[in-house]
């Protein structure tokens, strides 16, 4: 068996391991259940990919993100490593073939989403595999104390029962002490075994700017600093708005969110990673598995709802060890939005019961009936009919699902499907197809089996990538083949489905136990308030605040964050109101109106800027006209 260091050199070209990587590798390789806590950029993937190659059999890698799964498999294959993935975009035949390849030793790392673990086909096939160990990535998702709890992760403990004696490696970049203990308990660790890497980032300056005009502040930051940038927002609409604004201002920017077609996302990611595009404006759908070391700025245009999410996203800056900035733009509007999220994410129990009743009216389900029935759920129509807000309805559905009353599914059943109507021999006798239609037929036959026998789910974005067409072109071509009676094409539906997992109850009899409502709401509320406290604090080093949140204490201030820098300026007496006033007047010496955000470029504390500006305006030396300032 090759040594760990030989494998590392051969496939990755590194001369040695970093931090706690080798300790984790030795622990899991010797059969110990192991939990590794490594911050973003700490090299988590090495800790399971190296021992997977060193051990006999296949390593099961459980991860929640299909995009990350595909990306890692492609990267491993490029290195000559036998890797495969099972996800919802595959046909049943493709899944069976992949599982059998793992059984017969043709796969060393098999990536699986947690939802796949409980399927009959997976459970049947996994019994025939030689599994070296199970790796659980993003392990905080299994903890209800965590910020990103996913019920599907609870199936991991069940799969351990199917594989007695197989150790588990759990990895996460964000876990409080409470979550650390909960992960080990829920994954049925035989003994507690945790390896921690310090979460401290000595090259990363955490900055909070309290601003009223975020667009102007972003432009100011980008004008005065160089390097690759990620700007995070909380909505898809905002990604495009900010990207358009930056391009109009002469910057090179693009946007990214989960609603884009896969080929579009892949191209934009490649353009940004290769520095063809400087700025990526994105939702939190962007960043997992992105290994770009030279990001100089991560700017949060909107405040995340938890310190865990903020820390993980901010940590994508400065992974090369060079100086970088994580900047949070915050205002009183952000605080109001965060507090509103509590009610939107956890509506009152009365409102949840009302949604449950209205669903029954909508689907015409009587009390005592409806068990196991499936219904299309056009959410806009439902909300319009009963005057609900979509966000709160979705939250109510998730809570009802956790309580076991129904399942809400917006993925698999809505995917596009096709079946060939003509026999294979008849296809070869066709002469009136154009080249686009022929190319699509060939691509379908090469990538999907059983199309002549039954309907198969297809991925229009994948077909577009394979044929060099756009997704709308693929759709129109499939419609034309359908018109010609060559295929039966069932287009993708965006309408989700609801399945009743119990007969309909009287709403007053609904049971929403603490584990699915009260406890989760309490923890969510606490995370929101911790995030607000971080953003509004101005008297403690931000790095120390973050470390304390994750259970790591430090007596040393970072010297880089806005709090530390302001303390240093004040202590050294570099500026007082008179000096600050002089700097402001020099900045406005051209006598033209300037937006007030220009003052942030001055090397003095914001509190001193405010005091000096107030004095200058009070003495009528400077005019302030709705944020535009100039010398009188």
């Amino acid at each position: 068996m090759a040594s760990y260091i030989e494998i590392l050199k051969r496939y990755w070209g590194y001369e040695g391991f970093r931090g706690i990587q080798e300790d984790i590798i030795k622990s899991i390789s010797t059969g110990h259940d192991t939990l590794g806590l490594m911050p973003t950029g700490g090299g988590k993937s090495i800790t399971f990919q190296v021992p997977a190659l060193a051990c006999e059999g296949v390593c099961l890698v459980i991860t929640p993100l299909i995009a990350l799964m595909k990306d890692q498999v492609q990267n491993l294959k490029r290195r000559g490593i036998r890797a495969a993935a099972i996800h919802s975009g595959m046909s049943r035949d493709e899944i069976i073939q992949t599982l059998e390849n793992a059984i017969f030793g043709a796969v060393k790392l098999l990536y699986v989403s947690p939802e796949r673990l409980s399927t009959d086909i997976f459970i049947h096939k996994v019994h025939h595999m030689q599994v070296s160990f199970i790796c659980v990535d993003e392990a905080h998702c299994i903890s209800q104390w965590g910020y990103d709890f996913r019920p599907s992760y609870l199936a991991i403990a069940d799969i351990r029962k199917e594989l007695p004696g197989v150790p588990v490696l759990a990895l996460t970049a964000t876990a409080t002490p409470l979550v650390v203990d909960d992960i080990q308990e829920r994954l049925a660790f035989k003994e507690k075994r945790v390896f921690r890497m310090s979460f401290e980032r000595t090259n990363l300056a955490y900055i909070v700017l309290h601003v009223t005009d975020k667009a102007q502040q972003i432009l100011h930051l980008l004008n005065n600093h160089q390097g690759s940038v990620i700007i995070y927002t909380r909505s898809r609409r905002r990604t495009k708005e900010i990207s358009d604004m930056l391009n109009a201002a002469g910057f090179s920017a693009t946007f990214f969110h989960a609603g884009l077609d896969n080929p579009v996302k892949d191209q934009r990611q490649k353009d940004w990673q290769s520095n063809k595009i400087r700025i990526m404006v994105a939702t939190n759908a962007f960043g997992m598995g992105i290994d770009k070391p030279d990001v100089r700025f991560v700017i949060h245009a909107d405040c995340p709802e938890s310190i865990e999410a903020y820390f993980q996203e901010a940590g994508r800056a400065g992974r090369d060890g060079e100086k970088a900035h994580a900047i949070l733009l915050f205002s009183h509007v952000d605080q109001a939005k965060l507090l509103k999220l509590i009610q939107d994410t956890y509506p009152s129990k009365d409102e949840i019961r009302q949604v449950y009743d209205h669903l029954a009216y909508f689907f015409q389900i009587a009390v005592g009936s409806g068990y196991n029935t499936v219904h299309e759920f056009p959410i806009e129509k439902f909300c319009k009919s009963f005057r609900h807000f979509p966000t709160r309805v979705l939250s109510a559905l998730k809570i009802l699902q956790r309580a076991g009353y129904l399942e809400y599914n917006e993925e698999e059943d809505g995917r596009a499907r096709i079946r060939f109507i003509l026999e294979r021999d008849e296809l070869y006798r066709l002469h009136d197809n154009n080249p686009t239609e022929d190319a699509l037929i060939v691509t379908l036959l090469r990538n999907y089996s059983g199309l002549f026998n039954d309907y198969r789910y297809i991925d229009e974005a994948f077909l577009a990538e394979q044929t060099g067409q756009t997704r709308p072109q693929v759709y129109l071509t499939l419609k034309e083949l359908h018109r010609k009676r060559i295929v039966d094409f069932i287009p993708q539906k965006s309408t989700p489905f609801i399945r009743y997992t119990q007969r309909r109850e009287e709403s007053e009899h609904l049971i929403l136990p603490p584990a699915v409502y009260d406890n989760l709401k309490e923890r969510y509320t606490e995370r929101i308030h911790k995030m607000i406290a971080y953003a509004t604090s101005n008297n403690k080093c931000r790095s120390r605040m973050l470390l304390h949140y994750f259970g790591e204490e430090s007596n040393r201030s970072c010297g880089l964050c806005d709090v530390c820098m302001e303390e240093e300026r004040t202590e050294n007496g570099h500026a007082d109101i008179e000096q600050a006033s002089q700097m402001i007047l020099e900045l406005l010496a051209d006598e033209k109106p300037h937006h007030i955000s220009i003052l942030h470029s001055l090397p003095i504390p914001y509190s001193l800027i405010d005091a000096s500006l107030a004095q200058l305006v009070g003495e009528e030396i400077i005019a302030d006209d709705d944020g535009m300032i100039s010398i009188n």
Side-chain angles (χ1 to χ4, degrees):
M1 184 196 308
S3 71
Y4 307 129
I5 197 69
E6 288 172 350
I7 292 171
L8 185 69
K9 288 180 182 178
R10 176 181 174 187
Y11 291 103
W12 285 272
Y14 299 142
E15 293 297 319
F17 293 105
R18 289 189 292 151
I20 60 174
Q21 285 178 330
E22 191 168 11
D23 294 331
I24 293 174
I25 289 169
K26 288 180 178 178
S27 177
I28 190 63
S29 298
T30 51
H32 295 283
D33 292 337
T34 306
L35 172 57
L37 302 177
M38 305 175 74
T40 302
K44 285 192 299 175
S45 58
I46 290 291
T47 65
F48 65 86
Q49 291 170 352
V50 167
L53 296 177
C55 298
E56 294 294 326
V58 58
C59 169
L60 296 180
V61 184
I62 300 166
T63 181
L65 299 171
I66 291 177
L68 176 59
M69 188 187 297
K70 291 179 178 177
D71 185 58
Q72 289 210 1
V73 168
Q74 289 173 0
N75 288 336
L76 289 169
K77 285 181 174 178
R78 279 196 288 268
R79 298 181 189 276
I81 297 169
R82 302 191 306 275
I86 295 174
H87 53 77
S88 59
M90 300 167 65
S91 69
R92 179 179 173 83
D93 289 344
E94 289 171 324
I95 291 172
I96 290 174
Q97 183 178 347
T98 302
L99 290 172
E100 289 183 347
N101 286 343
I103 290 170
F104 293 113
V107 176
K108 289 297 293 181
L109 291 108
L110 179 61
Y111 286 74
V112 186
S113 64
E115 292 83 2
R116 296 276 140 190
L117 299 177
S118 53
T119 61
D120 292 339
I121 185 173
F122 183 85
I123 293 172
H124 173 71
K125 294 292 185 181
V126 80
H127 286 144
H128 301 284
M129 292 182 198
Q130 182 184 358
V131 178
S132 54
F133 64 95
I134 301 168
C135 174
V136 183
D137 200 11
E138 307 300 328
H140 58 270
C141 292
I142 202 171
S143 173
Q144 292 197 39
W145 295 97
Y147 79 102
D148 193 21
F149 170 64
R150 304 193 183 201
S152 57
Y153 260 60
L154 299 176
I156 300 172
D158 294 329
I159 208 68
R160 290 207 71 183
K161 297 173 185 175
E162 305 290 339
L163 298 168
V166 174
V168 64
L169 169 61
L171 298 168
T172 181
T174 49
T176 62
L178 189 61
V179 172
V180 168
D181 290 337
D182 199 33
I183 289 172
Q184 295 175 88
E185 182 178 342
R186 291 186 177 275
L187 287 175
F189 271 40
K190 294 181 179 66
E191 60 176 339
K192 289 192 174 184
R193 195 174 181 89
V194 183
F195 293 90
R196 291 178 172 86
M197 181 182 287
S198 174
F199 281 17
E200 186 175 15
R201 295 287 303 278
T202 56
N203 66 310
L204 187 54
Y206 298 101
I207 308 291
V208 177
L209 297 180
H210 291 260
V211 296
T212 53
D213 190 332
K214 293 187 178 184
Q216 286 298 320
Q217 183 62 57
I218 290 170
L219 290 172
H220 170 71
L221 289 168
L222 296 177
N223 273 317
N224 286 277
H225 301 279
Q226 301 300 312
S228 185
V229 180
I230 305 174
I231 300 175
Y232 279 111
T233 77
R234 287 185 57 84
S235 76
R236 296 178 181 184
R237 177 180 53 81
R238 287 258 290 160
T239 62
K240 186 176 188 307
E241 286 177 352
I242 294 176
S243 176
D244 289 347
M245 181 262 301
L246 294 175
N247 282 301
F251 294 100
S252 172
T254 190
F255 64 94
F256 186 107
H257 57 70
L260 298 173
D261 290 343
N262 288 332
V264 174
K265 288 192 284 190
D266 290 344
Q267 188 59 52
R268 290 181 180 182
Q269 182 175 312
K270 288 175 185 175
D271 289 345
W272 177 76
Q273 285 191 287
S274 62
N275 292 320
K276 290 181 181 177
I277 297 288
R278 179 190 174 196
I279 305 158
M280 179 65 79
V281 188
T283 63
N284 60 6
F286 179 78
M288 282 290 191
I290 301 301
D291 189 16
K292 183 171 172 58
D294 61 341
V295 178
R296 299 272 65 87
F297 278 81
V298 170
I299 300 171
H300 279 87
D302 298 318
C303 188
E305 61 191 57
S306 70
I307 287 180
E308 289 95 333
Y310 172 72
F311 185 78
Q312 191 170 61
E313 291 160 9
R316 290 172 187 136
R319 291 169 66 166
D320 55 3
E322 300 297 321
K323 177 77 176 290
H325 292 77
I327 299 177
L328 171 61
L329 305 181
F330 194 79
S331 72
H332 66 280
V333 175
D334 287 293
Q335 182 164 337
K337 285 181 178 178
L338 286 174
L339 293 173
K340 184 177 181 294
L341 272 176
I342 299 171
Q343 295 305 316
D344 285 345
T345 307
Y346 290 93
S348 70
K349 291 182 180 180
D350 285 342
E351 187 173 348
I352 295 169
R353 291 187 171 96
Q354 187 181 58
V355 168
Y356 182 80
D357 279 338
H358 288 168
L359 283 174
Y361 304 153
F362 192 67
F363 299 135
Q364 296 294 296
I365 297 174
V367 173
S369 63
Y371 170 68
N372 213 28
T373 57
V374 179
H375 309 268
E376 285 192 8
F377 183 56
I379 186 168
E380 283 121 0
K381 181 179 179 182
F382 174 82
C383 291
K384 186 176 181 180
S385 299
F386 296 98
R387 298 183 180 180
H388 287 296
F389 292 107
T391 302
R392 296 168 80 94
V393 167
L394 289 173
S395 296
L397 292 177
K398 289 177 183 177
I399 294 165
L400 289 167
Q401 179 165 306
R402 284 199 296 265
Y405 291 103
L406 52 81
E407 285 180 359
Y408 175 71
N409 189 323
E410 54 184 347
E411 295 181 358
E412 293 192 15
D413 291 327
R415 287 179 292 148
R417 290 176 288 169
I418 74 156
R419 177 179 65 86
F420 274 97
I421 298 172
L422 296 182
E423 296 294 331
R424 186 182 293 270
D425 292 342
E426 294 177 291
L427 281 179
Y428 299 128
R429 293 197 290 270
L430 293 174
H431 299 293
D432 62 341
N433 288 341
N434 62 43
T436 301
E437 292 168 349
D438 284 336
L440 185 56
I441 289 172
V442 170
T443 302
L444 285 166
L445 294 173
R446 283 179 177 171
N447 290 281
Y448 299 95
S449 60
L451 288 171
F452 295 95
N453 302 320
D454 200 356
Y455 289 96
R456 290 288 183 264
Y457 291 117
I458 59 170
D459 184 339
E460 292 172 51
F462 170 76
L463 292 171
E465 182 180 15
Q466 292 294 305
T467 59
Q469 303 175 33
T470 65
R471 186 167 178 173
Q473 285 174 329
V474 168
Y475 174 80
L476 292 174
T477 304
L478 289 169
K479 292 284 284 184
E480 181 61 19
L481 293 174
H482 179 86
R483 188 191 66 78
K484 291 181 175 182
R485 301 297 295 160
I486 295 171
V487 302
D488 189 12
F489 171 49
I490 302 175
Q492 177 178 339
K493 289 184 179 180
S494 59
T495 305
F497 292 79
I498 286 177
R499 182 174 75 88
Y500 277 76
T501 53
Q502 292 186 27
R503 63 182 177 81
R504 182 197 163 191
E505 297 275 2
E506 294 281 6
S507 60
E508 61 263 28
H509 296 152
L510 288 184
I511 299 173
L512 302 175
V516 303
Y517 184 83
D518 298 292
N519 293 349
L520 293 181
K521 182 177 181 179
E522 180 182 348
R523 295 162 198 162
Y524 184 75
T525 302
E526 182 181 1
R527 286 195 295 274
I528 291 285
H529 284 290
K530 292 278 189 183
M531 188 70 238
I532 291 172
Y534 172 84
T536 55
S537 171
N538 61 3
N539 59 7
K540 186 173 182 180
C541 167
R542 300 209 182 274
S543 178
R544 288 175 64 186
M545 287 181 71
L546 293 170
L547 292 175
H548 175 76
Y549 183 84
F550 292 110
E552 184 178 342
E553 298 301 333
S554 173
N555 295 322
R556 184 180 69 253
S557 294
C558 70
L560 299 174
C561 71
D562 58 297
V563 176
C564 288
M565 294 298 289
E566 186 160 338
E567 285 181 356
E568 181 181 347
R569 292 183 188 115
T570 302
E571 288 173 4
N572 294 339
H574 288 166
D576 57 19
I577 289 181
E578 185 177 340
Q579 290 174 316
S581 298
Q582 187 60 38
M583 289 182 182
I584 292 172
L585 292 172
E586 289 174 2
L587 193 64
L588 302 177
D590 59 5
E591 298 185 358
K592 296 178 181 178
H594 292 273
H595 192 272
I596 195 169
S597 61
I598 195 176
L599 301 182
H600 293 156
S601 63
L602 296 174
I604 51 179
Y606 297 129
S607 59
L608 200 53
I609 290 175
D610 291 341
S612 303
L613 183 61
Q615 180 174 304
L616 291 169
V617 171
E619 294 174 358
E620 297 186 353
I621 298 172
I622 284 179
D624 182 357
D625 183 13
D626 197 22
M628 299 300 294
I629 55 175
S630 60
I631 295 178
N632 274 326

